[in-house]
Amino acid sequence: MADEGTECTDAEMNTPAYVRNEEVDEESSHLMSWDEWLREHASQLLLFARQQSRSPEDAEDILQDALVRLARKEASGEFVGGQEAWLSYVFASIRRLAVDYGRKSDRRQKREDEACASERDEDVYTDPWFSSAAADEELKQFMEMQLRKLPSKFSEVIVLKIWGEQTFQQIAETLEISQNTAASRYRYGIDLLRRALRNKKNQF
């Protein structure tokens, strides 16, 4: 016989367990899958990321990083607050990541600017051999021959910089490389040409 206060009605006794637990399961039934949650919130998260970042490309990377952070916390059981706290967490992560991306971009730009500045004093035409008017035609032929010997990734930068009178930023855009890479290739190619010029001068 059931204790007083814990008696079950006939209806309750005849009700299946999964129905009696309906109230407990109702909350979990409202949880979205990861894909459903992304479909519902992706556009507003991306819009916020674009407002916080300096370029559309950065915004996409920042959003991706923020979502990865959330997924890792959920997978490890470290996330506190449940699914209803996901959106706030991702917004906060985007904001922090945007600041980090901005700082990295500033440091990268500074390095590229310094590299470009150093190249102004490293032009191949500062070599005294170029000062000889009598050597103009011979120099031209020699330079063209040496340029053909260089790997194209170096020669194309040198041609754009010296004969095309392009800045490193313009070269970077043309070749779809970073400004720092353009400057580095120019510097290395110029060093190779200088060595060839010195070897030629030593023959006289």
Side-chain angles (χ1 to χ4, degrees), residues 32 42 57 132 168 197 204:
M32 298 181 183
E57 294 78 14
S132 172
F168 285 120
L197 285 170
F204 291 94

Side-chain angles (χ1 to χ4, degrees), residues 10 16 18 27 31 50 55 59 70 84 101 122 141 158 169 179 203:
D10 291 341
Y18 70 86
E27 181 179 354
L31 294 179
R50 285 174 175 168
S55 70
L70 171 61
E84 62 183 20
Y101 267 65
E122 294 186 11
Q141 295 176 2
I158 292 173
Q169 181 178 350
Q179 197 170 332
Q203 295 175 7

Side-chain angles (χ1 to χ4, degrees), residues 25-87:
D25 294 338
E26 184 178 359
E27 181 179 354
S28 61
S29 68
H30 291 307
L31 294 179
M32 298 181 183
S33 69
W34 179 256
D35 289 341
E36 289 172 336
W37 188 87
L38 283 179
R39 281 196 296 271
E40 179 167 331
H41 298 293
S43 60
Q44 65 190 111
L45 289 170
L46 182 56
L47 177 61
F48 182 70
R50 285 174 175 168
Q51 292 172 338
Q52 296 291 315
S53 59
R54 301 183 181 184
S55 70
E57 294 78 14
D58 281 353
E60 293 178 4
D61 290 341
I62 287 169
L63 175 55
Q64 181 68 26
D65 287 351
L67 292 172
V68 167
R69 287 188 177 188
L70 171 61
R72 287 175 176 171
K73 275 188 171 291
E74 274 290 338
S76 66
E78 297 176 7
F79 190 82
V80 178
Q83 193 174 82
E84 62 183 20
W86 285 7
L87 192 60

Side-chain angles (χ1 to χ4, degrees), residues 79-122:
F79 190 82
V80 178
Q83 193 174 82
E84 62 183 20
W86 285 7
L87 192 60
S88 296
Y89 175 83
V90 176
F91 275 133
S93 294
I94 288 172
R95 189 172 183 277
R96 288 192 295 269
L97 286 166
V99 173
D100 292 340
Y101 267 65
R103 289 172 179 168
K104 290 178 182 178
S105 179
D106 289 341
R107 289 195 294 269
R108 182 171 61 250
Q109 186 62 51
K110 182 179 179 181
R111 289 194 300 270
E112 292 177 353
D113 290 343
E114 289 173 349
C116 292
S118 67
E119 296 306 326
R120 296 191 191 104
D121 299 325
E122 294 186 11

